[in-house]
Amino acid sequence: MALRRALHALGFRCRVDLPLPGLHRRRSDLAFVRWRTVVFVQGCFWHACPEHPHAPVHNGEWWREKLGGNVRRYADTAAHLVRLGWVPLRICEHETVDVAVGKVLEALARRGHPRTLRILSGVG
Ligand SMILES: [Zn+2]
């Protein structure tokens, strides 16, 4: 995944497909376990991205139900993680790698990750 490669190039190590604590059969795409930050990269279509709404014409009702289920499931997962003290971060597939990296760095910076603080302040 491009985001993971970009983070890796900046010296960030993360786990891929981490099973989420207390959630049956749910995994994060990227996880910074030590910093309790997890990243979910979501498809515009599958997660009903508000910037790219495309409602299928055929079987409209079925799709609304299906996509609505994905959205609720993410909200539920994110709320659960927050209760456990984790930071869930959602990145949409339409976002560029630079934007995505920026979001991840900001989230890690809020957690006090020393390397992000150096990068974001331009020191190294
Ligand atoms: Zn999108």
Side-chain angles (χ1 to χ4, degrees):
M1 178 189 322
L3 174 58
R4 182 179 179 226
R5 277 197 305 275
L7 288 166
H8 204 267
L10 289 170
F12 292 93
R13 301 291 176 264
C14 53
R15 282 196 52 183
V16 176
D17 272 343
L18 181 77
L20 299 174
L23 289 169
H24 185 57
R25 297 178 59 170
R26 295 192 201 182
R27 293 167 176 267
S28 66
D29 293 307
L30 302 178
F32 299 86
V33 176
R34 185 174 166 201
W35 310 98
R36 291 183 166 241
T37 298
V38 290
V39 178
F40 299 88
V41 179
Q42 303 190 329
C44 293
F45 175 76
W46 291 105
H47 291 273
C49 165
E51 289 178 43
H52 301 99
H54 24 208
V57 175
H58 295 289
N59 298 319
E61 186 58 36
W62 185 86
W63 278 109
R64 251 193 308 286
E65 192 58 34
K66 169 90 182 150
L67 301 181
N70 287 346
V71 172
R72 281 194 300 277
R73 185 174 142 105
Y74 174 76
D76 183 58
T77 299
H80 173 85
L81 289 169
V82 168
R83 279 196 298 275
L84 292 180
W86 287 68
V87 174
L89 193 61
R90 169 160 53 171
I91 288 172
C92 192
E93 68 174 351
H94 74 257
E95 295 180 275
T96 65
V97 172
D98 283 351
V99 168
V101 166
K103 285 187 173 182
V104 172
L105 293 190
E106 267 175 38
L108 291 174
R110 280 198 296 273
R111 287 302 223 185
H113 191 308
R115 178 184 289 274
T116 58
L117 299 178
R118 281 197 303 275
I119 292 175
L120 292 173
S121 65
V123 178

